[in-house]
Amino acid sequence: MDGSQTAHLKGTIGENTFDQDTLINPAFLKFEHTNGANFYLLNYFRTISLFHRNKFSVTAFGKAGAGTVIPKTDVTIFGTRLDNNIM
C-alpha cells in the first residue's frame, strides 16, 4: 500500500456515506504486513571428504531443513494503532 494514494471508497463511516474517489493519506490509514517477518529454521548440514591429495580435494555436502515464517501486522487507522506483536 502506498501512502497518499487515491482509492474508491464506498460505504458509511459513522453518519457519513461515501461513494467517491478519496485520497488516502498516512494519517488516515497505515498498513504494514512485512514488519518483523520472523524466520524460524531448523537445518542439518553434512560434509564428506571424497578425495584428498596434496592441495587438491573433492568434498560432497548435503543440507536438509524445514522452517516457517511468522509475519507481524502493524495497522494504524483513524490515528489508532494496532501492533499485533505476538512474539
Side-chain angles (χ1 to χ4, degrees), residues 25-30 74-83:
N25 64 40
F28 171 73
L29 176 65
K30 180 182 174 189
D74 185 359
V75 178
T76 302
I77 187 164
F78 296 121
T80 303
R81 183 176 182 198
L82 171 65
D83 184 6

Side-chain angles (χ1 to χ4, degrees), residues 31-38 69-75 81-87:
F31 180 82
E32 293 181 34
H33 194 59
T34 58
N35 184 11
N38 301 301
V69 176
I70 301 174
K72 183 174 85 73
T73 303
D74 185 359
V75 178
R81 183 176 182 198
L82 171 65
D83 184 6
N84 83 356
N85 188 359
I86 61 173
M87 296 294 154

Side-chain angles (χ1 to χ4, degrees), residues 16-66:
N16 301 318
T17 301
F18 294 93
D19 188 7
Q20 62 189 19
D21 288 337
T22 305
L23 178 65
I24 306 297
N25 64 40
F28 171 73
L29 176 65
K30 180 182 174 189
F31 180 82
E32 293 181 34
H33 194 59
T34 58
N35 184 11
N38 301 301
F39 295 88
Y40 295 96
L41 302 171
L42 179 63
N43 290 309
Y44 176 77
F45 182 78
R46 171 101 174 155
T47 61
I48 300 171
S49 179
L50 300 175
F51 177 80
H52 180 75
R53 181 172 290 167
N54 297 330
K55 294 183 180 183
F56 180 77
S57 67
V58 176
T59 303
F61 62 92
K63 178 181 173 184

